[in-house]
């Protein structure tokens, strides 16, 4: 990073204040009704570094619904379990479509474009459901291990809300099943997927939990191998090309970091060999990415002078 000694803590506070001072833009997701109950003005940011520092500002310790950020963790679990066979069932190309689009899936015979759109994450949910005796517990336990916090929890209210408004995800899963690309029963796959989306975590917890992706697969806090260096590279590549959905090109163009958003308003960005940035602000742009999150990650990356394309 540009200047090791400058005060990142103060800088984060100033950057967050600058976002608070501009009039709010974007809309809180309401297609999952429980997500719309959140206070839209909450805003947090955390930066964790591989040398053990954690900086934060605003609501950085308040848990929120991680939603699609869970797709990163599910992908790592599935890669660890089934290895390269995974890539026979899911592709690694950007979709250029909204995260919950179904159109491409029919043309492409039930093979999702990538593991971080909804179709791809449902495919991953099928892999996990089929390879763990209790995939939901395995997922929660993975999150608790990575965050080093046994209080990380599944928000049952969000889960129920998703379950009763999940028709589009059900359609994606049944379409893949019709192409024989889903093995387990669809309700079981959906239940796993909604469970992982309903995990609640704070910016501080998420930033620290993802440090292994900034450190070639090894958690720098305890030297535990979370995934291979090759798989960490692959996840970062997918996040760079697809993690911000059909805003991924613009995000690469203007920021240049592997990133993943969630409709709960969270956003994570990996700074390889340095650390992880996590922001949270529930108002979303038309791509389903947090408006403030995109602004803040861009400002922090510029401040630190980091981009994978430098
Ligand atoms: O399946 C859904 O639509 C949500 N549980 C997750 C979508 C999501 O977070 C997309 N990210 N921006």
């Amino acid at each position: 990073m540009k200047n090791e000694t400058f005060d990142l803590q103060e800088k984060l506070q100033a950057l967050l204040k600058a976002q608070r001072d501009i009039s709010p833009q974007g809309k809180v997701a309401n297609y999952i009704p429980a997500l719309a109950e959140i206070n839209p003005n909450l805003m947090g940011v955390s930066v964790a570094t591989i040398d053990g520092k954690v900086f934060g500002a605003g609501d950085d310790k308040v848990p929120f619904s991680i939603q699609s950020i869970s797709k990163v963790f599910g992908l790592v679990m599935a890669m660890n379990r089934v290895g390269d066979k995974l890539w026979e069932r899911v592709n690694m190309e950007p979709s250029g479509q909204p995260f919950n689009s179904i159109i491409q899936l029919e043309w492409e015979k039930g093979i999702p474009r990538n593991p971080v759109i909804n179709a791809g994450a449902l495919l991953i949910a099928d892999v996990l459901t089929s390879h763990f005796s209790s995939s939901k517990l395995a997922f929660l336990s993975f999150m608790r291990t990575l965050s080093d916090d046994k209080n990380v929890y599944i928000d049952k209210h969000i889960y129920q809300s998703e379950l009763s408004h999940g028709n589009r995800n059900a359609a994606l899963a049944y379409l893949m099943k019709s192409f024989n690309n889903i093995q387990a029963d669809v309700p079981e796959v959906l239940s796993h997927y909604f469970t992982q989306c309903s995990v609640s975590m704070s910016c501080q917890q998420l930033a620290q939990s993802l440090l292994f992706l900034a450190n070639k697969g090894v958690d720098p806090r305890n030297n535990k191998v979370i995934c291979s260096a090759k798989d960490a590279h692959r996840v970062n590549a997918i996040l760079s090309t697809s993690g911000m959905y059909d805003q991924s090109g613009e995000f690469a163009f203007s920021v240049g970091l592997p990133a993943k958003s969630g409709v709960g308003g969270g956003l994570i960005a990996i700074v390889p060999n340095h650390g992880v940035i996590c922001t949270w602000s529930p108002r979303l742009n038309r791509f389903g990415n947090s408006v403030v999150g995109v602004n803040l990650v861009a400002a922090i990356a510029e401040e630190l002078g980091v981009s994978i394309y430098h």
Side-chain angles (χ1 to χ4, degrees), residues 121-149:
L122 287 159
L123 187 285
I124 299 288
D126 180 53
V127 170
L128 299 179
T129 304
S130 311
H131 284 83
F132 286 88
S133 53
S134 173
S135 62
K136 297 181 206 172
L137 278 180
F139 187 87
L140 184 61
S141 152
F142 190 46
M143 302 313 290
R144 287 178 172 169
T145 303
L146 288 174
S147 59
D148 194 23
D149 188 345

Side-chain angles (χ1 to χ4, degrees), residues 31-32 67-68 71 99 118 162 169 193 197 245 261-263 288:
Y31 74 99
I32 301 166
Q67 292 296 320
S68 284
K71 292 169 178 169
F99 63 83
N118 284 14
E162 279 219 62
N169 284 319
Y193 173 73
C197 289
Y245 305 113
S261 61
V263 288

